[in-house]
Amino acid sequence: MDKNTLNDAELWQQVKQGDTASFSCLFERYWEEMFSMAYRRLADEATSKDFVQNIFIHAWENRQQIIVEDKLSPYLFTALKYSVIRHIYREAKQGTTDLPLSVYGLPDETDLKKQDHYDFDRLRDKVQAEIAAMPDKMRGVFILSYEKELSIREIAMRLSISEQTVKNQLQNARKRLRLRLQSQAIFLPFIL
């Protein structure tokens, strides 16, 4: 059977059994897009490649604990986001970056993992509350786009609305989240 025809959940079940060919298929499916995302944020090819490689190593080592219901991409890209954030924190704290970050009060590297989990949990709760408070149509479009990963065309067809309406709703939802989550500004570029 050609592994490229299997979806992520099917491949992940094989990965859990130790199938390296299925894991390689998933790597090939996502590594370029992950590298591109990391490189856009870091502008360093070697570091970007290292991040992607480390995320896949971590995924392999923790394959029994990772649950893939549909796609592996949410796990991979979330891990990449927070790896990049930790890297930016470290560079900002050391003064080796020109990024416009306020480093006053950043946690020490030893406290970074605990702080990241706390920050992530707090941010996730705020985002979920803001999504829940959105008007029904906006919330529905946002969830289909960001959680279900449907394209604008697929959302328009599913909801029987125009593609322009979908674009407008997504734009309004992102604006709304940016405005309401300004205190979490360091994380927003990675979320929206």
Side-chain angles (χ1 to χ4, degrees), residues 75-116:
Y75 168 82
L76 294 173
F77 286 98
T78 300
L80 180 61
K81 282 184 219 176
Y82 289 100
S83 292
V84 169
I85 288 169
R86 279 192 300 276
H87 179 76
I88 290 170
Y89 267 160
R90 271 188 239 107
E91 283 196 342
K93 181 95 170 140
Q94 295 168 359
T96 57
T97 184
D98 293 332
L99 293 173
L101 296 175
S102 169
V103 296
Y104 179 76
L106 284 178
D108 291 330
E109 194 167 333
T110 55
D111 295 331
L112 204 50
K113 286 189 179 182
K114 286 188 284 186
Q115 184 66 35
D116 280 352

Short mmCIF file of all heavy atoms in Angstrom, two decimals, residues 75-116:
data_model
loop_
_atom_site.label_atom_id
_atom_site.label_comp_id
_atom_site.label_asym_id
_atom_site.label_seq_id
_atom_site.Cartn_x
_atom_site.Cartn_y
_atom_site.Cartn_z
N TYR A 75 -0.43 19.62 16.09
CA TYR A 75 0.61 19.31 17.08
C TYR A 75 1.96 19.86 16.62
O TYR A 75 2.65 20.54 17.38
CB TYR A 75 0.72 17.80 17.30
CG TYR A 75 1.94 17.42 18.09
CD1 TYR A 75 1.93 17.51 19.48
CD2 TYR A 75 3.12 17.04 17.46
CE1 TYR A 75 3.07 17.21 20.21
CE2 TYR A 75 4.26 16.75 18.18
CZ TYR A 75 4.23 16.82 19.56
OH TYR A 75 5.36 16.54 20.28
N LEU A 76 2.33 19.57 15.38
CA LEU A 76 3.64 19.98 14.88
C LEU A 76 3.80 21.49 14.87
O LEU A 76 4.83 22.02 15.32
CB LEU A 76 3.86 19.44 13.46
CG LEU A 76 3.94 17.92 13.32
CD1 LEU A 76 3.98 17.53 11.85
CD2 LEU A 76 5.15 17.37 14.06
N PHE A 77 2.82 22.21 14.37
CA PHE A 77 2.95 23.66 14.25
C PHE A 77 2.84 24.36 15.59
O PHE A 77 3.47 25.39 15.80
CB PHE A 77 1.96 24.21 13.22
CG PHE A 77 2.37 23.88 11.82
CD1 PHE A 77 1.83 22.80 11.15
CD2 PHE A 77 3.35 24.63 11.19
CE1 PHE A 77 2.24 22.48 9.87
CE2 PHE A 77 3.77 24.31 9.90
CZ PHE A 77 3.22 23.24 9.24
N THR A 78 2.09 23.80 16.52
CA THR A 78 2.06 24.37 17.87
C THR A 78 3.41 24.18 18.54
O THR A 78 3.94 25.10 19.17
CB THR A 78 0.94 23.72 18.71
OG1 THR A 78 -0.31 23.97 18.07
CG2 THR A 78 0.92 24.28 20.12
N ALA A 79 3.99 22.99 18.40
CA ALA A 79 5.32 22.75 18.96
C ALA A 79 6.34 23.69 18.35
O ALA A 79 7.20 24.24 19.05
CB ALA A 79 5.72 21.29 18.74
N LEU A 80 6.25 23.92 17.05
CA LEU A 80 7.17 24.83 16.38
C LEU A 80 6.99 26.26 16.89
O LEU A 80 7.98 26.95 17.18
CB LEU A 80 6.97 24.77 14.87
CG LEU A 80 7.88 25.67 14.04
CD1 LEU A 80 9.34 25.31 14.25
CD2 LEU A 80 7.51 25.57 12.56
N LYS A 81 5.75 26.70 17.02
CA LYS A 81 5.49 28.05 17.52
C LYS A 81 6.19 28.28 18.85
O LYS A 81 6.88 29.28 19.05
CB LYS A 81 3.99 28.28 17.75
CG LYS A 81 3.19 28.55 16.54
CD LYS A 81 1.76 28.84 16.98
CE LYS A 81 0.77 28.24 16.04
NZ LYS A 81 -0.61 28.43 16.48
N TYR A 82 6.01 27.35 19.78
CA TYR A 82 6.55 27.55 21.11
C TYR A 82 8.06 27.32 21.17
O TYR A 82 8.73 27.92 22.02
CB TYR A 82 5.75 26.76 22.14
CG TYR A 82 4.41 27.42 22.27
CD1 TYR A 82 3.29 26.92 21.62
CD2 TYR A 82 4.29 28.64 22.93
CE1 TYR A 82 2.08 27.59 21.67
CE2 TYR A 82 3.09 29.31 22.97
CZ TYR A 82 1.99 28.79 22.35
OH TYR A 82 0.81 29.47 22.39
N SER A 83 8.60 26.54 20.28
CA SER A 83 10.06 26.44 20.18
C SER A 83 10.64 27.77 19.73
O SER A 83 11.65 28.23 20.26
CB SER A 83 10.46 25.34 19.19
OG SER A 83 10.11 24.08 19.68
N VAL A 84 10.01 28.38 18.76
CA VAL A 84 10.46 29.68 18.26
C VAL A 84 10.31 30.74 19.36
O VAL A 84 11.21 31.55 19.57
CB VAL A 84 9.69 30.07 16.98
CG1 VAL A 84 9.95 31.53 16.59
CG2 VAL A 84 10.07 29.15 15.83
N ILE A 85 9.20 30.72 20.07
CA ILE A 85 8.99 31.69 21.15
C ILE A 85 10.07 31.54 22.22
O ILE A 85 10.65 32.53 22.67
CB ILE A 85 7.58 31.54 21.77
CG1 ILE A 85 6.53 32.04 20.79
CG2 ILE A 85 7.48 32.29 23.10
CD1 ILE A 85 5.11 31.71 21.18
N ARG A 86 10.37 30.31 22.62
CA ARG A 86 11.42 30.09 23.62
C ARG A 86 12.76 30.62 23.11
O ARG A 86 13.52 31.25 23.85
CB ARG A 86 11.53 28.61 23.98
CG ARG A 86 10.49 28.15 24.97
CD ARG A 86 10.79 26.78 25.53
NE ARG A 86 10.82 25.75 24.51
CZ ARG A 86 9.75 25.13 24.04
NH1 ARG A 86 8.55 25.43 24.49
NH2 ARG A 86 9.86 24.19 23.12
N HIS A 87 13.04 30.38 21.85
CA HIS A 87 14.29 30.87 21.25
C HIS A 87 14.34 32.40 21.27
O HIS A 87 15.36 32.99 21.63
CB HIS A 87 14.41 30.34 19.82
CG HIS A 87 15.62 30.80 19.10
ND1 HIS A 87 16.86 30.27 19.35
CD2 HIS A 87 15.80 31.75 18.14
CE1 HIS A 87 17.75 30.87 18.58
NE2 HIS A 87 17.12 31.77 17.84
N ILE A 88 13.24 33.03 20.91
CA ILE A 88 13.17 34.50 20.90
C ILE A 88 13.33 35.02 22.33
O ILE A 88 14.05 35.99 22.57
CB ILE A 88 11.85 34.98 20.27
CG1 ILE A 88 11.87 34.70 18.76
CG2 ILE A 88 11.62 36.46 20.53
CD1 ILE A 88 10.55 34.93 18.06
N TYR A 89 12.69 34.38 23.29
CA TYR A 89 12.85 34.77 24.70
C TYR A 89 14.32 34.73 25.10
O TYR A 89 14.85 35.66 25.70
CB TYR A 89 12.08 33.81 25.61
CG TYR A 89 10.69 34.22 25.98
CD1 TYR A 89 9.80 33.26 26.44
CD2 TYR A 89 10.25 35.53 25.91
CE1 TYR A 89 8.51 33.59 26.81
CE2 TYR A 89 8.96 35.88 26.28
CZ TYR A 89 8.09 34.91 26.72
OH TYR A 89 6.82 35.24 27.09
N ARG A 90 14.97 33.61 24.78
CA ARG A 90 16.39 33.47 25.17
C ARG A 90 17.25 34.55 24.52
O ARG A 90 18.08 35.15 25.18
CB ARG A 90 16.91 32.08 24.79
CG ARG A 90 16.69 31.06 25.87
CD ARG A 90 17.40 29.76 25.54
NE ARG A 90 16.38 28.75 25.48
CZ ARG A 90 15.89 28.15 24.41
NH1 ARG A 90 16.33 28.37 23.26
NH2 ARG A 90 14.95 27.26 24.47
N GLU A 91 17.06 34.76 23.23
CA GLU A 91 17.85 35.78 22.54
C GLU A 91 17.56 37.18 23.08
O GLU A 91 18.48 37.98 23.25
CB GLU A 91 17.59 35.74 21.02
CG GLU A 91 18.31 34.62 20.35
CD GLU A 91 18.38 34.80 18.85
OE1 GLU A 91 17.59 35.60 18.29
OE2 GLU A 91 19.21 34.13 18.23
N ALA A 92 16.30 37.46 23.34
CA ALA A 92 15.95 38.77 23.88
C ALA A 92 16.56 38.96 25.27
O ALA A 92 17.08 40.03 25.59
CB ALA A 92 14.44 38.93 23.93
N LYS A 93 16.50 37.94 26.07
CA LYS A 93 17.05 38.00 27.42
C LYS A 93 18.56 38.23 27.38
O LYS A 93 19.11 38.96 28.20
CB LYS A 93 16.72 36.70 28.16
CG LYS A 93 17.20 36.64 29.57
CD LYS A 93 16.10 37.05 30.50
CE LYS A 93 16.53 36.74 31.92
NZ LYS A 93 16.13 37.79 32.80
N GLN A 94 19.23 37.59 26.42
CA GLN A 94 20.68 37.72 26.30
C GLN A 94 21.09 38.98 25.55
O GLN A 94 22.26 39.31 25.47
CB GLN A 94 21.26 36.50 25.57
CG GLN A 94 21.09 35.21 26.34
CD GLN A 94 21.38 33.99 25.48
OE1 GLN A 94 21.69 34.09 24.30
NE2 GLN A 94 21.27 32.82 26.09
N GLY A 95 20.12 39.68 24.98
CA GLY A 95 20.42 40.90 24.23
C GLY A 95 21.05 40.64 22.88
O GLY A 95 21.72 41.49 22.31
N THR A 96 20.81 39.45 22.30
CA THR A 96 21.43 39.10 21.02
C THR A 96 20.46 39.23 19.85
O THR A 96 20.72 38.71 18.78
CB THR A 96 21.97 37.65 21.05
OG1 THR A 96 20.89 36.77 21.37
CG2 THR A 96 23.09 37.51 22.06
N THR A 97 19.35 39.92 20.07
CA THR A 97 18.39 40.09 18.98
C THR A 97 17.97 41.55 18.89
O THR A 97 18.00 42.27 19.87
CB THR A 97 17.15 39.18 19.18
OG1 THR A 97 16.31 39.33 18.04
CG2 THR A 97 16.37 39.54 20.42
N ASP A 98 17.60 41.94 17.71
CA ASP A 98 17.11 43.30 17.49
C ASP A 98 15.59 43.36 17.51
O ASP A 98 15.00 44.37 17.16
CB ASP A 98 17.59 43.83 16.13
CG ASP A 98 19.10 44.01 16.11
OD1 ASP A 98 19.69 44.26 17.18
OD2 ASP A 98 19.68 43.91 15.02
N LEU A 99 14.96 42.26 17.90
CA LEU A 99 13.50 42.24 17.90
C LEU A 99 12.95 43.24 18.89
O LEU A 99 13.53 43.46 19.95
CB LEU A 99 13.00 40.84 18.27
CG LEU A 99 13.30 39.76 17.25
CD1 LEU A 99 12.91 38.41 17.80
CD2 LEU A 99 12.59 40.03 15.95
N PRO A 100 11.84 43.86 18.56
CA PRO A 100 11.25 44.86 19.46
C PRO A 100 10.51 44.20 20.62
O PRO A 100 9.31 44.29 20.75
CB PRO A 100 10.28 45.62 18.55
CG PRO A 100 9.87 44.61 17.55
CD PRO A 100 11.09 43.73 17.33
N LEU A 101 11.26 43.51 21.46
CA LEU A 101 10.67 42.85 22.61
C LEU A 101 11.11 43.55 23.89
O LEU A 101 12.25 43.96 24.02
CB LEU A 101 11.13 41.40 22.71
CG LEU A 101 10.75 40.46 21.59
CD1 LEU A 101 11.40 39.11 21.81
CD2 LEU A 101 9.25 40.29 21.55
N SER A 102 10.22 43.64 24.82
CA SER A 102 10.61 44.12 26.13
C SER A 102 11.06 42.90 26.92
O SER A 102 10.29 41.97 27.13
CB SER A 102 9.41 44.76 26.84
OG SER A 102 9.75 44.99 28.17
N VAL A 103 12.31 42.88 27.32
CA VAL A 103 12.83 41.71 28.01
C VAL A 103 12.82 41.87 29.52
O VAL A 103 13.17 40.97 30.24
CB VAL A 103 14.26 41.36 27.54
CG1 VAL A 103 14.25 40.98 26.09
CG2 VAL A 103 15.23 42.48 27.82
N TYR A 104 12.38 43.03 29.98
CA TYR A 104 12.31 43.23 31.42
C TYR A 104 11.34 42.21 32.01
O TYR A 104 10.20 42.10 31.59
CB TYR A 104 11.84 44.65 31.74
CG TYR A 104 11.73 44.88 33.22
CD1 TYR A 104 12.86 45.07 34.00
CD2 TYR A 104 10.49 44.87 33.82
CE1 TYR A 104 12.75 45.27 35.36
CE2 TYR A 104 10.37 45.07 35.18
CZ TYR A 104 11.51 45.27 35.95
OH TYR A 104 11.40 45.45 37.30
N GLY A 105 11.81 41.47 32.96
CA GLY A 105 10.94 40.52 33.64
C GLY A 105 10.78 39.20 32.93
O GLY A 105 9.98 38.37 33.35
N LEU A 106 11.53 38.96 31.84
CA LEU A 106 11.46 37.65 31.22
C LEU A 106 12.02 36.62 32.19
O LEU A 106 12.96 36.89 32.93
CB LEU A 106 12.26 37.61 29.92
CG LEU A 106 11.64 38.27 28.72
CD1 LEU A 106 12.58 38.20 27.53
CD2 LEU A 106 10.31 37.66 28.36
N PRO A 107 11.46 35.43 32.20
CA PRO A 107 11.94 34.42 33.15
C PRO A 107 13.34 33.95 32.80
O PRO A 107 13.77 34.03 31.65
CB PRO A 107 10.92 33.28 32.97
CG PRO A 107 10.38 33.47 31.60
CD PRO A 107 10.40 34.95 31.35
N ASP A 108 14.05 33.47 33.80
CA ASP A 108 15.34 32.85 33.54
C ASP A 108 15.10 31.60 32.72
O ASP A 108 14.02 31.00 32.75
CB ASP A 108 16.02 32.45 34.86
CG ASP A 108 16.44 33.68 35.65
OD1 ASP A 108 16.75 34.71 35.03
OD2 ASP A 108 16.45 33.58 36.88
N GLU A 109 16.14 31.15 32.03
CA GLU A 109 15.99 29.99 31.16
C GLU A 109 15.50 28.77 31.93
O GLU A 109 14.73 27.96 31.43
CB GLU A 109 17.31 29.68 30.46
CG GLU A 109 17.16 28.72 29.31
CD GLU A 109 18.39 28.68 28.44
OE1 GLU A 109 19.13 29.65 28.38
OE2 GLU A 109 18.60 27.63 27.84
N THR A 110 15.93 28.62 33.19
CA THR A 110 15.52 27.46 33.99
C THR A 110 14.02 27.49 34.28
O THR A 110 13.40 26.45 34.46
CB THR A 110 16.29 27.40 35.32
OG1 THR A 110 16.11 28.64 35.99
CG2 THR A 110 17.76 27.14 35.09
N ASP A 111 13.44 28.69 34.35
CA ASP A 111 12.02 28.83 34.62
C ASP A 111 11.18 28.90 33.35
O ASP A 111 9.97 28.94 33.42
CB ASP A 111 11.75 30.11 35.42
CG ASP A 111 12.38 30.06 36.79
OD1 ASP A 111 12.52 28.95 37.33
OD2 ASP A 111 12.73 31.14 37.30
N LEU A 112 11.85 28.90 32.21
CA LEU A 112 11.16 29.14 30.95
C LEU A 112 10.09 28.11 30.65
O LEU A 112 8.98 28.46 30.25
CB LEU A 112 12.19 29.18 29.81
CG LEU A 112 11.81 29.94 28.57
CD1 LEU A 112 11.32 31.34 28.90
CD2 LEU A 112 13.01 30.03 27.65
N LYS A 113 10.37 26.84 30.85
CA LYS A 113 9.37 25.82 30.51
C LYS A 113 8.13 25.95 31.37
O LYS A 113 7.02 25.90 30.87
CB LYS A 113 9.98 24.43 30.62
CG LYS A 113 10.92 24.12 29.50
CD LYS A 113 11.35 22.69 29.48
CE LYS A 113 12.28 22.48 28.30
NZ LYS A 113 12.71 21.14 28.15
N LYS A 114 8.30 26.15 32.67
CA LYS A 114 7.14 26.33 33.54
C LYS A 114 6.37 27.58 33.13
O LYS A 114 5.15 27.57 33.06
CB LYS A 114 7.58 26.45 35.00
CG LYS A 114 8.01 25.15 35.61
CD LYS A 114 8.24 25.32 37.10
CE LYS A 114 9.54 26.04 37.31
NZ LYS A 114 9.98 26.16 38.67
N GLN A 115 7.09 28.65 32.86
CA GLN A 115 6.45 29.91 32.47
C GLN A 115 5.74 29.76 31.14
O GLN A 115 4.63 30.24 30.97
CB GLN A 115 7.49 31.03 32.38
CG GLN A 115 6.91 32.38 32.08
CD GLN A 115 6.02 32.91 33.20
OE1 GLN A 115 6.30 32.67 34.37
NE2 GLN A 115 4.96 33.59 32.84
N ASP A 116 6.36 29.05 30.17
CA ASP A 116 5.72 28.85 28.87
C ASP A 116 4.41 28.10 29.02
O ASP A 116 3.41 28.45 28.39
CB ASP A 116 6.63 28.06 27.93
CG ASP A 116 7.71 28.92 27.30
OD1 ASP A 116 7.68 30.14 27.46
OD2 ASP A 116 8.57 28.33 26.65
#
